[in-house]
């Protein structure tokens, strides 16, 4: 798959995650919780903007991207299914578990891999991109702790892994 095409697909998935958090934001009365979810939505928007900015680079236009063509669609389907389940939940614990499930999907691994591939290729035009999923997941973990959610919920969030930054091979020679 050509990287520019993959970036566009992953950008739309990041926008969908932003929509999930925005939906959470408007679904609660508590102002602090609403702000938290709005901030998480903004984080996802920054991921989408980062992918869009990367896609504008001339060096990226024709670069190969070693990723199965079906993967963005599979991620999108799983996100849609989980979002539908999330909309039916009222308890914060279950909502956070479903958010953790979405955050632990391949979308974050792909996003981090894209950034790593850009950095490994020495493309300096994106040095200013310091967006990463670790900060985003830490925000989710801190909020679960602050809300006093059950230990199993906090553990599930704590197990979200974004350490496999070489998930996809970029810029195939």
């Amino acid at each position: 798959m050509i990287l520019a095409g993959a970036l566009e697909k992953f950008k739309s998935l990041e926008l969908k995650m932003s929509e999930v958090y925005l939906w959470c934001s408007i679904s609660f009365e508590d102002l602090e919780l609403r702000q938290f979810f709005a901030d998480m939505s903004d984080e996802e928007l920054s991921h989408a903007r980062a992918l869009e900015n990367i896609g504008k680079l001339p060096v990226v236009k024709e670069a190969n991207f070693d990723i199965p063509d079906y993967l963005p669609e599979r991620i999108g389907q799983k996100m849609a299914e989980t979002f539908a389940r999330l909309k039916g939940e009222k308890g914060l614990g279950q909502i956070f578990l479903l958010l953790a499930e979405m955050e632990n999907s391949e979308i974050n691994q792909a996003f981090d891999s894209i950034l790593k591939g850009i950095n490994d290729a020495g493309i300096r035009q994106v040095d200013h991109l310091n967006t990463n999923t670790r900060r985003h997941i830490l925000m989710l973990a801190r909020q679960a702790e602050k809300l006093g959610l059950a230990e199993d919920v906090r553990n599930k969030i704590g197990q979200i892994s974004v350490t496999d930054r070489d998930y996809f091979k970029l810029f195939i020679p």
Side-chain angles (χ1 to χ4, degrees), residues 105-164:
S105 76
E106 293 162 302
I107 188 169
N108 280 334
Q109 294 165 328
F111 179 77
D112 271 3
S113 293
I114 289 167
L115 293 186
K116 182 181 186 315
I118 293 292
N119 289 332
D120 287 352
I123 300 173
R124 297 290 166 232
Q125 295 97 320
V126 293
D127 280 348
H128 63 283
L129 294 177
N130 62 0
T131 304
N132 66 52
T133 53
R134 284 188 207 291
R135 181 184 70 228
H136 185 70
I137 290 168
L138 282 173
M139 288 172 65
L140 193 62
R142 282 190 208 114
Q143 188 66 29
E145 183 76 33
K146 185 175 182 179
L147 292 168
L149 297 181
E151 187 176 342
D152 65 321
V153 174
R154 293 190 321 266
N155 286 341
K156 180 78 170 183
I157 293 169
Q159 293 170 359
I160 296 173
S161 174
V162 292
T163 57
D164 190 6

Side-chain angles (χ1 to χ4, degrees), residues 19-55:
E19 179 185 337
V20 168
Y21 283 115
L22 192 57
W23 181 89
C24 290
S25 175
I26 63 174
S27 298
F28 290 95
E29 300 274 332
D30 181 80
L31 291 179
E32 190 174 330
L33 191 55
R34 290 176 74 131
Q35 184 61 56
F36 164 73
F37 285 126
D39 291 344
M40 292 295 282
S41 177
D42 288 347
E43 285 281 313
E44 297 294 352
L45 287 175
S46 74
H47 291 180
R49 274 191 301 277
L51 295 177
E52 183 175 30
N53 289 336
I54 291 168

